[in-house]
């Protein structure tokens, strides 16, 4: 958990770095405060294995008569419901960047359902109600890529889903995971029709921004060392711009332009590195709050619905 008070002594600074590293390496779970029933949606509680066997908990929300499926995942520390950042201790995780209000993704599923899409949404490993894996360690999308592949395998395993057109709506750490899956195992995603890439980010960039907000901008190398000691992975190995070179599907990238927790050039690099001509970069203006990017679809759904309609027919 990030402390809003700026540390002053070197001992306090080093303890802050250790605290940030431990929070990142071992993020706490958040509760599912809502289900599709809260939006009068029929749904199934389902479970399926990730590519490496981790049990993933999910909701399947059917749209009768539709042959289109959107698979949704979520950011770090979130789950398929969203994130209760209006409540402690989860509020303290985002308050430094102004992210202290609830993110409710279930309303997204209502919009997708009403637009004629079946929805499958799952808790990634170590989040929500899904199984623990890899010692509970975060990986910036690398381990979680196996969950992306598992969700597609599950859809192919069901007689009622296997022939559907599939689109992915992937968010932040979940978007990183999708990009890494495309980078490492592209054949597993060959039948995906399109991708909504919501706010991918490099782990080193977000941590640099956190240190800047804490007045510790000169300590990034030391934080990289602390995260390596906590999770055995370095910032250089968690860069989605490097993975975007393998994206072969029409991709709609969306991002809060002045997001206090990232840099515009990091997301621009993801977009620029996508080799397909069928891509679009949607900047969300007049905000520095990352959570506004997660709320963009329910506030202004038409651009994304138009992208899905164009590429999933």
């Amino acid at each position: 958990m990030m402390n809003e008070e700026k540390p002053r002594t070197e001992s306090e600074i080093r303890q802050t770095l250790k605290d940030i590293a431990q929070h990142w390496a071992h993020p706490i779970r958040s509760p599912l405060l809502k289900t599709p029933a809260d939006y009068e949606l029929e749904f199934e509680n389902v479970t399926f294995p990730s590519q490496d066997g981790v049990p993933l908990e999910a909701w399947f929300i059917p749209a009768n008569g539709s042959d289109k499926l959107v698979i949704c995942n979520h950011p770090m520390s979130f789950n398929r419901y969203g994130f209760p950042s209006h409540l402690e201790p989860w509020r303290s995780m985002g308050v430094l960047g102004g992210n202290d209000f609830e993110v409710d993704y279930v309303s997204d599923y209502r919009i997708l359902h009403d637009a004629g899409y079946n929805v499958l949404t799952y808790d990634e490993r170590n989040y929500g109600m899904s199984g623990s894996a890899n010692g509970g360690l975060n990986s910036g999308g690398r381990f979680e890529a196996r969950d992306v592949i598992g969700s597609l395998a599950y859809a192919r395993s069901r007689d009622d889903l296997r022939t559907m057109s599939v689109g992915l709506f992937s968010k932040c750490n979940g978007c990183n995971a999708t990009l890494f899956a495309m980078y490492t195992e592209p054949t597993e995603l060959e039948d995906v029709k399109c991708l909504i890439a919501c706010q991918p980010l490099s782990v080193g960039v977000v941590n640099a921004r956190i240190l800047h907000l804490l007045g510790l901008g000169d300590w990034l190398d030391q934080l990289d060392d602390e995260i390596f000691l906590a999770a055995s992975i370095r910032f250089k190995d968690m860069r989605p711009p490097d993975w975007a070179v393998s994206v072969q599907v029409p991709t709609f990238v969306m991002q809060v332009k002045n997001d206090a927790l990232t840099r515009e050039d990091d997301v621009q690099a993801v977009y620029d590195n996508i080799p397909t001509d069928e891509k679009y970069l949607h900047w969300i203006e007049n905000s520095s709050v990352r959570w506004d990017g997660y709320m963009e679809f329910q506030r202004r759904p038409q651009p994304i619905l138009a992208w899905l309609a164009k590429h999933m027919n």
Side-chain angles (χ1 to χ4, degrees):
M1 189 180 304
M2 290 182 293
N3 191 331
E4 293 177 74
E5 295 182 5
K6 296 178 181 179
R8 294 174 182 164
T9 69
E10 181 170 338
S11 176
E12 289 174 336
I13 290 171
R14 293 193 178 278
Q15 186 57 52
T16 294
L17 299 181
K18 290 180 183 295
D19 291 344
I20 293 172
Q22 287 300 320
H23 167 69
W24 184 87
H26 300 278
I28 67 170
R29 293 180 187 250
S30 55
L32 282 73
L33 297 188
K34 296 177 183 175
T35 77
D38 292 298
Y39 287 82
E40 299 182 347
L41 289 168
E42 295 183 6
F43 71 102
E44 301 173 28
N45 285 304
V46 299
T47 185
F48 53 85
S50 178
Q51 184 189 33
D52 58 1
V54 179
L56 304 179
E57 299 297 323
W59 295 321
F60 173 65
I61 304 168
N64 293 333
S66 170
D67 63 353
K68 302 176 184 67
L69 173 67
V70 176
I71 301 178
C72 302
N73 64 16
H74 59 79
M76 172 184 164
S77 295
F78 285 51
N79 56 49
R80 61 194 134 140
Y81 135 75
F83 195 62
S85 36
H86 57 308
L87 304 174
E88 293 293 357
W90 302 280
R91 178 182 175 278
S92 293
M93 297 178 189
V95 69
L96 194 63
N99 302 294
D100 56 355
F101 53 90
E102 181 184 26
V103 177
D104 172 10
Y105 283 145
V106 188
S107 57
D108 288 18
Y109 312 145
R110 172 90 249 183
I111 293 168
L112 288 168
H113 171 272
D114 290 351
Y117 296 97
N118 298 277
V119 176
L120 176 66
T121 179
Y122 60 93
D123 296 333
E124 298 160 20
R125 64 187 58 213
N126 301 317
Y127 298 121
M129 301 178 73
S130 286
S132 297
N134 311 105
L137 292 174
N138 193 10
S139 69
R142 298 174 71 100
F143 295 145
E144 297 84 0
R146 302 168 191 173
D147 305 340
V148 175
I149 293 170
S151 70
L152 288 164
Y154 173 72
R156 297 183 192 114
S157 75
R158 284 182 53 151
D159 291 340
D160 57 339
L161 303 184
R162 63 165 49 107
T163 62
M164 289 189 178
S165 297
V166 176
L168 302 180
F169 196 155
S170 303
K171 307 175 184 78
C172 191
N173 196 57
C175 184
N176 288 6
T178 298
L179 296 177
F180 191 67
M182 291 178 169
Y183 181 69
T184 55
E185 300 192 59
T187 59
E188 295 288 347
L189 294 94
E190 283 181 338
D191 55 354
V192 171
K193 297 295 185 183
C194 65
L195 168 64
I196 308 299
C198 179
Q199 305 202 129
L201 85 169
S202 298
V203 173
V205 170
V206 66
N207 278 285
R209 294 299 299 152
I210 289 169
L211 291 183
H212 172 76
L213 292 170
L214 290 171
L216 301 176
D218 295 332
W219 290 80
L220 185 62
D221 289 344
Q222 290 86 343
L223 180 56
D224 190 19
D225 290 341
E226 290 293 345
I227 285 181
F228 180 70
L229 292 175
S232 300
I233 193 167
R234 293 235 177 237
F235 291 152
K236 66 181 179 61
D237 299 315
M238 298 179 286
R239 283 182 33 82
D242 296 341
W243 310 333
V245 297
S246 296
V247 176
Q248 297 296 326
V249 301
T251 301
F252 185 108
V253 181
M254 56 192 293
Q255 174 67 49
V256 171
K257 190 168 187 178
N258 296 312
D259 182 354
L261 294 181
T262 189
R263 293 194 318 261
E264 182 181 329
D265 66 312
D266 189 51
V267 178
Q268 185 71 52
V270 171
Y271 177 78
D272 290 345
N273 286 354
I274 294 172
T276 177
D277 292 333
E278 286 286 332
K279 60 181 180 178
Y280 180 75
L281 178 54
H282 174 71
W283 290 116
I284 300 160
E285 305 278 0
N286 302 316
S287 175
S288 63
V289 177
R290 186 170 185 80
W291 275 210
D292 283 336
Y294 300 146
M295 303 289 282
E296 176 71 4
F297 176 59
Q298 57 194 260
R299 292 170 177 169
R300 284 169 287 274
Q302 272 314 120
I304 290 173
L305 290 178
W307 189 264
L308 292 172
K310 177 180 179 181
H311 295 289
M312 290 184 67
N313 286 330

